[in-house]
Amino acid sequence: MDEGSPSRMLDPDLFDRGDIFCFDTQPYLGELFETVRARKKPLTVVVGAGVSMNSSLPSWRELIDRMTNEIENSSTKMIALRDSSDLMRKAEIVLQILKDGGGDLEDHEFIRRALYSDSHVTPGVLAESIARLVCANRKYARKRARLLTTNFDEILEAALSAYFAEDEVKSFSLELGGSSAWTDWDRFLRRIGVMHLHGLVRQQGDPGEPIVLTESQFLKYGAQVREVISNALEGACTIFIGLGMSDPNLVGPLYATAEERPPRFSLVVPPGVDGVTTTEAARYAINSARYLEDKLGLRPIFLKSYSQLNQVISDLALAVVEPRRYRPDVQSDASLVYRRRLTRALDDCYAGVGCEKTVEIPTGQAAEELTTRLHRALEIENGPLPVLRELALRYGHPLGGAGENFGLFLWLRSRELEDRRHRYILNLVGTSVYAHREDWSLRHHVKISRETEFAAAQAVFTGIVQATNLTPTPIAQIWRGIFAMPILMSGIGSDRMIGAGPADVLTVGAITLNSTFVITTNGEPVPPGDLSLISKLDSVDKNLLLESLDKAAQYAIHPS
């Protein structure tokens, strides 16, 4: 935009007032959807560490901290951990110390050990939504969509495998001929290549080089990275996801073409700041982004949470396959615009748990019926308790009686409006262990925010599973741990499919599995007899439990 002209970014005063997934509140959000929905330009998606973090992998800072903890000399390790140098410089120092310490390993081997703490890494919802958007463009709209990432992992490739055949997905790096090979591969719309700008570190197998982590590596390969980015941006609608937008290799190509005002958008969740409210941190982030808008021609879009950021990407894919119905000017029930679909979905969910129109907490007989249904949901076929009993036998863990016991708690997004937008809070609508005859006796209206102490709200904020401990209180004496996951509903307004999955997906709340045992150690000693079975599960078994919780949530809301 022209310097000095009014900003089209979100007004900071509106950040904390209702849902901001709204075209009226954020003009750039409307521009993004209109550009993608119109399908006139190819799409370029540039992905950063935020997408890997959504898949339970470390951030760049956490990666370097993990590498630092590999230093054997305790004094050197302490100094390195306290080193506040720029991360590229710190990576340079830490790698050199590790090599000097006798570690006969190459850079990618040190990175691999720090990057993959779990042998079974699965894509998070962000990676899955990005894959769905790419598939919608390439296979349904027949438009080119390109993927670039600064991440070392293969999370994107794993997510893409749900929409493309194994031999249609390929990884590329900047090694000799890599850029031109990526371009050639992407010419065929049935295939997709992922360009790893900083190299590729596989869990097993050879790396995709060059690896770009340290300051000297950024200096050595920066010109190549900038050239690849510049070529990918040309003539495209570009979306930056999970990036801090401070990497000079990203900023350079943007600055060079800023005056042309191409459609380039960044999706941003304002970072938290210790000792500062979310509202003030958001105000600072929005005001700071004026530089990106003025000097780089970028159009920043702000979201309240990572779950909401994922919803934007998911809805973009829906807009690609339903371009006539995903329009703000469609006023009927046929409209697929997010706010209208969410209203219909929440009305459906609240009706399902026994609430009359405008009521948010079931009481009396409706509350008792929901409690009974949640209790049954624990025991349905392939539900939480059958799955946990089978796992308990395998892990030798006591369940029931004097052993570990569980309860289900159901939370839904509020359907109350604030400034004509849904309030960004959760309501606890029912539990499997007790029913409330009066709505004042059941705590509700929990804010979805970064600083929330409630696991259900944390799950909706992050968009991923949360596990936390509880300190027993007079009103919750038995619960010591909570395992929380978001509830997703599909097919609310459209029955279109992308690949084998639904195009229409909405986050409507969360379900928590409360335990009488401690779920996470938090690095502190916990007697083995106090540890929950959940804390012992590997990632494969944990996924079985997650599937069972999803079944329980769907049954509780729609038992038919």
Side-chain angles (χ1 to χ4, degrees), residues 166-188:
E166 184 178 352
D167 62 355
E168 294 173 349
V169 181
K170 192 172 182 179
S171 306
F172 295 87
S173 65
L174 295 181
E175 59 193 348
L176 187 62
S179 176
S180 58
W182 173 57
T183 301
D184 290 342
W185 180 268
D186 263 9
R187 293 189 199 283
F188 297 91

Side-chain angles (χ1 to χ4, degrees), residues 25 95 245 289 295 318:
T25 304
L95 270 176
M245 302 310 298
K295 303 297 184 182
L318 176 60

Side-chain angles (χ1 to χ4, degrees), residues 90-108:
K90 186 170 181 177
E92 190 89 52
I93 295 167
V94 168
L95 270 176
Q96 191 58 57
I97 293 172
L98 289 171
K99 290 175 180 177
D100 290 346
D104 188 21
L105 298 174
E106 296 184 38
D107 289 1
H108 73 271

Side-chain angles (χ1 to χ4, degrees), residues 213-230:
L213 176 67
T214 68
E215 186 173 40
S216 62
Q217 291 163 345
F218 269 82
L219 292 170
K220 183 175 182 179
Y221 299 108
Q224 285 179 256
V225 173
R226 290 192 293 275
E227 182 181 6
V228 171
I229 293 174
S230 295

